[in-house]
Amino acid sequence: MTKARQDRTIDIAAAVEQVADGMTVGLSGFSYQNPPMAIVRQIIRRGLRDLTLVSGPTAGIETDLLIGAGCVRRVVAAGVALERIAGIAPAFRYHAERGDVEVWECDECIWYVALKAGAWGVPYLLWRGGVGTSLPELNTELEEVEENGGRYLRVPAIRPDIVFLHAAEADPFGNVRACRQAYLGRSFAERALAEACNGAVICTVESIVANERVVAEPEWTLLHGALVAQAPWGAHPGGVSGRYVPDLEHIRAYARAATELRTGNDGPYRRYLEAFIHEATDHDGYLRAVGDHELRSLRIEAA
Amino acid sequence: MSKIVDLYSLSAAVPSGATVAIGGFQLNRVPVALLQAIADRGRTDLECVSAPNPLGLQILAAAGCIRAAECGFIGFQYEDGFVIAPAVRRALATGELRLRQPDVYDTIQSLRAAADNGEPRADFALLHAQRADRNGNLQIDDPYVDVELAHASGAVLATAEVVVDEIDAPTIPAGKVELIAVVKNGAAPTSCFGHYPRDAAGVREHIGVTTATAPTPTTPAEGEAGAVALSEASTVAEDEASAADELLVYMARQVNDGEVIVTGLASAVPMLAIELARRTHAPGLTYINCIGAVNPRIDAALPTSVEADLRNRCERTIELPDLFDLARNGGVDAMFFGAGQVDGRGNINLSRIGPADNPKVRFAGPAGSPSMRSYVRRVLITVPHQLPRNLVERVDVVTSAPADRNEETILVTDAAIWRLRSNGFEPASLHAGVTSEDLSGRTGFEFGGELPTVTTPPSESELAALHSIDADGLRYRLLAGKGSSARCLPARAHPTRSRKPEKVMHER
């Protein structure tokens, strides 16, 4: 009668099979840190279209790449940037200026409030930030209202259909862990996205660890109940706090290609997609394309 | 100016008539030393708001300090069984204390709203922290509802186990904290996570019990009925023992593999049933204990489910407000609920029997059961000793009712397994040895339905798993008081049980 506990592991291809055109997809990360890039590349390989991305609150290369590859109709983020390499992410800028993608204008707090409303199952929450600004003109879903004598922005709930995260490690049963040497504190928006999610929460991880390790330090667990896909270097060219630093050389090369889009030359960008996504038919192929030597130079030595 | 003062000066900051928010949760990290110091000063007319915090109220009520309180639950389960804080009960009986018992989630939401609007609900939050620093930052390793209480208060007055030079990531920032006293063991006899466990002897002192005995007969709690001395080993009659084993096995069978299941307060028996389910047919369940432990390791039965140390051996910690949020969003499939009364339509009473101003029986309160019941898909109700006085035609007070989200409502008793149908509860199966006449005689409401089957008796493997979790037979004491006077068990089968059973239930 005694049964074994089911594990919740999945592979990258099966994870991305759960995405359909038009879905609202949550993506983890903060700027260069912890983007679920192995998933992003697989979404592009599948040629998915019309996605709404909820990324950030400050989004980075994961969002820019999906936009550049033509997968995105709408972006919910407080900004899409490549830090000092490109203050405005180039593919995002090109496609937003052309009107190919719609931008759900918000600041970081409003981004969180919208997810919080989703997590609580309420249609909206009232928020004081942004009152008196042009935000309601830029984003007609943010209405300025009066309630109990105060003025607020009414922030509608956002509920992603599926959420992809990348984290340092997880056990096979879906307990996702931060790394001790976490950047900007212990976590990013993993919890906000996961709690608002209407469907599967799928986390790619650098390594799958034993359940005993989770139980030894439960205070480091970010989430329970995720589906877990192993993807070492799965955030590359982003970094993973505590594991490896962002590959700035790679991001610069990407940004150069993407910046060419605005001059009408899409050749470099198409070549980038060919080399790192389409010809590299899976995550292992991508890592071979990047090169073992390049990857190793990014590793953070264990403290 | 330093915020660090002595306990005497700290307690001086709370004047008579003040509204205080009391930190801690059940018998865990209650600011006992500070409350005692306030009581010793003879303060009066305090108003309190708290998460379920019976011992905190007990200390203030025993000294006649409080006029009004908001607290969703005034009982606790510990080594001696389940108790309703006696001084609180007395102050309610004499009318000295006005008690509001909203759903705990309602209290939490009102604290959040107060923090949001900048309109404090309390003058001071009284907290005990693991650490403070010289700047006034507090670090709390098991915050429960303390963060919400702090932010909904004008200022925080805190005791702390230790003071350190600097706290890196404070749970409560210095800006919110007015004064701190360093009081080692300041939460004792309640636990201070990471420092010391609950001390049963000290709890007994606070409630005026001198030795480990059965407390005053009390009434069912959020999670279960149970009012027995657990520290006294007792001889258990064979039929009583097998009835307890059966009940646990039948409870465990209601838990589905792969689901997320929660227990509330005073839920030592449901916790045991969930662990049994995990070890038999449901290894993939996710169990969330409201102390904030996800999938705690339950190596052996415990006298209470609200055990802070479970946070040290689990897969994730989650604070009570977040657990309610999770449930609200559909993240909890099932929960075990206790009932003082349950009626044929599925309503539960955890409030009282009799009129509000002079109840015949006072239960501990609804805790979070009204909201949790409305959020879960599967409602699992347990009445360990079914009688016409607890399965009633109509409950005196409805503290929780069937809700739209409930797909299934199951009532497990020692007589039958009931399912809530459109016409009300119907018996799905009768336990072996229970006749239809027995069932009617023990049920206070009319019921219909198909002829019920016989509940499949516990299998050898189920019983073996149960014995392996609870080798000492704590379950017999948790579920004692059925009122039978049968033979003693052969010592060979249950060598640890040796004394007379405690019979303290059902004195209503």
Side-chain angles (χ1 to χ4, degrees):
Chain A
M1 182 149 190
T2 302
K3 294 197 289 184
R5 184 176 180 183
Q6 306 94 318
D7 89 21
R8 295 181 61 81
T9 55
I10 187 175
D11 66 34
I12 293 168
V16 173
E17 278 305 314
Q18 301 195 25
V19 187
D21 289 346
M23 272 191 177
T24 296
V25 179
L27 298 174
S28 75
F30 190 92
S31 187
Y32 290 157
Q33 295 294 330
N34 291 39
M37 293 303 293
I39 294 289
V40 161
R41 287 182 285 264
Q42 184 64 17
I43 289 174
I44 294 169
R45 284 182 200 112
R46 277 199 55 205
L48 289 161
R49 287 287 176 270
D50 294 326
L51 302 179
T52 290
L53 299 186
V54 183
S55 49
T58 292
I61 191 166
E62 75 296 329
T63 301
D64 203 60
L65 189 54
L66 283 168
I67 292 171
C71 303
V72 181
R73 186 174 56 83
R74 195 164 77 132
V75 182
V76 178
V80 187
L82 303 179
E83 299 220 1
R84 286 164 65 186
I85 292 170
I88 304 174
F92 164 74
R93 178 174 183 180
Y94 172 67
H95 288 286
E97 285 177 352
R98 282 166 43 110
D100 305 335
V101 294
E102 196 184 311
V103 181
W104 199 87
E105 291 278 354
C106 60
D107 73 359
E108 292 179 333
C109 296
I110 290 170
W111 187 88
Y112 273 107
V113 170
L115 289 172
K116 198 71 191 170
W120 284 358
V122 296
Y124 62 86
L125 284 170
L126 299 178
W127 185 246
R128 289 186 189 186
V131 169
T133 71
S134 302
L135 267 176
E137 291 161 38
L138 298 169
N139 180 348
T140 53
E141 290 187 20
L142 299 174
E143 195 185 341
E144 195 174 314
V145 296
E146 190 166 322
E147 193 150 319
N148 294 328
R151 294 198 68 77
Y152 299 88
L153 287 193
R154 188 165 62 200
V155 180
I158 290 179
R159 299 206 63 181
D161 299 306
I162 190 166
V163 163
F164 293 102
L165 314 170
H166 186 77
E169 52 195 40
D171 74 6
F173 309 116
N175 293 303
V176 176
R177 280 166 52 94
C179 209
R180 274 201 180 276
Q181 303 94 328
Y183 172 78
L184 287 180
R186 191 163 124 188
S187 67
F188 305 105
E190 294 94 343
R191 277 187 56 183
L193 286 163
E195 286 166 9
C197 185
N198 225 350
V201 174
I202 301 176
C203 188
T204 52
V205 292
E206 293 299 314
S207 43
I208 292 180
V209 300
N211 178 253
E212 288 70 28
R213 187 175 161 103
V214 171
V215 176
E217 297 166 313
E219 64 275 23
W220 290 97
T221 306
L222 293 171
L223 300 169
H224 69 272
L227 293 169
V228 175
Q230 188 153 15
W233 301 100
H236 186 273
V240 169
S241 44
R243 294 299 184 96
Y244 48 89
V245 298
D247 186 344
L248 298 183
E249 285 308 312
H250 187 110
I251 297 171
R252 276 194 201 96
Y254 166 83
R256 278 194 299 275
T259 305
E260 288 291 306
L261 292 169
R262 293 182 77 223
T263 68
N265 176 14
D266 66 355
Y269 201 82
R270 281 196 286 111
R271 279 195 293 280
Y272 178 89
L273 294 178
E274 276 307 312
F276 289 106
I277 296 179
H278 297 300
E279 283 171 16
T281 55
D282 60 14
H283 184 56
D284 287 344
Y286 171 78
L287 296 183
R288 281 193 297 274
V290 172
D292 198 39
H293 177 74
E294 278 71 12
L295 291 174
R296 268 184 292 151
S297 69
L298 304 169
R299 199 182 285 285
I300 297 169
E301 294 307 321
Chain B
M1 201 185 79
S2 172
K3 292 181 175 179
I4 308 224
V5 297
D6 62 19
L7 180 60
Y8 188 75
S9 314
L10 182 68
S11 65
V14 179
S16 288
T19 301
V20 294
I22 307 174
F25 181 50
Q26 291 295 94
L27 298 182
N28 302 295
R29 219 173 27 69
V30 178
V32 170
L34 175 54
L35 293 171
Q36 196 63 61
I38 292 167
D40 291 347
R41 282 180 170 275
R43 297 295 197 239
T44 58
D45 295 315
L46 299 178
E47 299 197 7
C48 304
V49 56
S50 68
N53 199 331
L55 202 73
L57 287 184
Q58 164 75 21
I59 292 166
L60 295 178
C65 307
I66 39 173
R67 175 176 65 194
E70 173 176 330
C71 179
F73 199 73
I74 56 169
F76 56 86
Q77 205 171 26
Y78 78 129
E79 283 71 3
D80 290 359
F82 182 77
V83 198
I84 291 187
V88 177
R89 186 204 284 270
R90 272 194 303 276
L92 289 171
T94 60
E96 262 173 87
L97 172 63
R98 274 185 297 114
L99 177 68
R100 280 189 63 233
Q101 294 206 286
D103 182 300
V104 172
Y105 195 28
D106 287 349
T107 298
I108 289 170
Q109 297 294 51
S110 84
L111 295 170
R112 285 170 162 171
D116 238 29
N117 302 333
E119 292 162 4
R121 282 214 53 193
D123 302 311
F124 302 103
L126 312 178
L127 309 179
H128 183 73
Q130 275 86 2
R131 278 172 294 288
D133 72 12
R134 302 196 184 281
N135 300 319
N137 294 299
L138 299 178
Q139 190 177 334
I140 299 177
D141 296 332
D142 53 341
Y144 314 123
V145 184
D146 281 13
V147 174
E148 287 74 12
L149 290 166
H151 289 292
S153 299
V156 173
L157 305 175
T159 49
E161 285 296 314
V162 293
V163 64
V164 297
D165 285 338
E166 199 179 339
I167 287 170
D168 208 24
T171 317
I172 303 190
K176 198 73 215 174
V177 181
E178 195 166 293
L179 294 171
I180 297 167
V182 181
V183 184
K184 198 168 158 48
N185 298 321
T190 68
S191 79
C192 184
F193 180 65
H195 289 257
Y196 42 89
R198 172 185 65 249
D199 168 31
V203 174
R204 277 177 208 121
E205 261 174 59
H206 275 282
I207 59 172
V209 177
T210 46
T211 51
T213 60
T216 330
T218 58
T219 50
E222 187 184 31
E224 68 189 47
V228 288
L230 306 181
S231 49
E232 292 285 296
S234 54
T235 306
V236 177
E238 190 169 0
D239 64 344
E240 202 170 314
S242 66
D245 288 355
E246 280 174 27
L247 186 83
L248 271 155
V249 167
Y250 301 155
M251 286 172 74
R253 286 182 190 167
Q254 311 313 318
V255 179
N256 291 344
D257 195 14
E259 73 183 355
V260 178
I261 184 161
V262 167
T263 57
L265 305 178
S267 296
V269 169
M271 180 163 77
L272 194 51
I274 290 168
E275 183 59 22
L276 176 58
R278 180 203 300 290
R279 293 192 192 190
T280 52
H281 64 278
L285 66 83
T286 298
Y287 167 41
I288 309 182
N289 179 303
C290 70
I291 195 71
V294 179
N295 280 334
R297 294 292 185 263
I298 315 287
D299 302 322
L302 295 171
T304 176
S305 57
V306 193
E307 182 76 67
D309 191 52
L310 293 174
R311 297 172 62 107
N312 241 342
R313 38 197 168 100
C314 65
E315 294 178 353
R316 180 194 178 187
T317 57
I318 177 171
E319 301 316 323
L320 193 61
D322 300 321
L323 173 55
F324 279 114
D325 292 345
L326 180 73
R328 177 177 173 173
N329 201 27
V332 175
D333 297 306
M335 179 163 166
F336 274 109
F337 297 90
Q341 293 177 318
V342 55
D343 69 23
R345 282 171 267 192
N347 298 306
I348 285 177
N349 176 7
L350 281 171
S351 176
R352 58 164 203 276
I353 296 173
D357 50 355
N358 184 24
K360 201 167 87 186
V361 178
R362 183 179 293 285
F363 303 132
S369 65
S371 54
M372 288 302 288
R373 185 170 179 187
S374 71
Y375 297 147
V376 297
R377 291 194 303 107
R378 301 180 57 246
V379 177
L380 308 177
I381 306 170
T382 311
V383 174
H385 311 294
Q386 180 185 328
L387 293 164
R389 65 168 170 253
N390 51 33
L391 261 64
V392 297
E393 184 64 43
R394 192 81 178 118
V395 294
D396 284 44
V397 179
V398 179
T399 52
S400 79
D404 292 347
R405 278 205 202 168
N406 304 155
E407 292 165 14
E408 198 170 45
T409 299
I410 298 169
L411 168 62
V412 182
T413 77
D414 55 343
I417 292 169
W418 302 77
R419 282 176 181 275
L420 191 64
R421 312 282 187 198
S422 53
N423 293 331
F425 271 121
E426 293 176 2
S429 69
L430 303 190
H431 304 337
V434 178
T435 64
S436 297
E437 291 70 41
D438 294 340
L439 190 68
S440 298
R442 292 172 64 185
T443 307
F445 55 76
E446 298 291 315
F447 55 87
E450 305 279 301
L451 198 62
T453 58
V454 177
T455 313
T456 308
S459 69
E460 285 302 314
S461 62
E462 284 170 321
L463 290 174
L466 181 55
H467 287 292
S468 76
I469 310 163
D470 184 25
D472 294 339
L474 183 63
R475 62 191 178 281
Y476 304 124
R477 286 169 275 150
L478 286 164
L479 287 165
K482 191 183 170 192
S484 69
S485 54
R487 299 149 290 151
C488 291
L489 286 172
R492 180 178 48 82
H494 298 280
T496 56
R497 283 173 262 121
S498 58
R499 269 178 266 166
K500 291 293 288 176
E502 302 291 336
K503 304 276 167 50
V504 292
M505 281 287 298
H506 308 307
E507 302 284 325
R508 289 169 220 161

